[in-house]
Amino acid sequence: MTFDFEAAGATKAAGVAQAPGCGRANALRVPATIDSLEPVSDFVLGLGKQARLPESSLYRLRLAADELATNIVLHGYRGEPGEITVDGGIDPGDVWVRFQDDAPAFDPRQGMRAPALDVPLAEREIGGLGVFLAFTAVDTFEYELVAGRNVSTLVMRRPTVQ
């Protein structure tokens, strides 16, 4: 596991707004294994607490990050060796967490579907509900394929301080 620090503006995914010159980014690099899910969760919780996210926002950000990291490990690498890089930052208006991996290209939104509440539980198709719950819990979810790497960014707005 590796931690490093750099200016937030230099590494944030395209398409996610950021105030220039604000905040710092933290990074975590872990093997793509089940054992790495806890350090990823700790990283996200630490970032959210540092940003003073309300408990409900912190819970939702962690839920989305847990779901994304688990999907990368279980469905992305499928037991093959690999690595996940997680970085994040705090800006005046939001907190962002970005995941990068070299598993086969996959947009997590492809597996996302709204729950079929009109279908009896026993008859519902298995899978996809966790992704739906997780990604609808955050304010913004972005995915892009950059130079063959999956890059997914979660953004949670920070409450305004008056």
Side-chain angles (χ1 to χ4, degrees), residues 108-119 124-136:
R109 295 173 295 194
Q110 292 177 357
M112 185 170 80
R113 63 176 183 275
L117 299 176
D118 57 333
V119 176
R124 291 184 194 169
E125 193 174 328
I126 295 174
L129 186 56
V131 173
F132 174 81
L133 292 173
F135 297 150
T136 56

Side-chain angles (χ1 to χ4, degrees), residues 23-24 26 43-55 57-58 61 88-97 156-161:
R24 294 193 58 80
N26 303 310
F43 175 85
V44 172
L45 287 173
L47 186 67
K49 287 179 180 174
Q50 187 179 2
R52 297 184 180 158
L53 284 178
E55 282 298 318
S57 297
L58 185 59
L61 180 61
I90 302 167
D91 294 331
D94 59 35
V95 178
W96 56 272
V97 178
M156 185 65 74
R157 283 189 209 95
R158 298 174 69 195
T160 56
V161 178

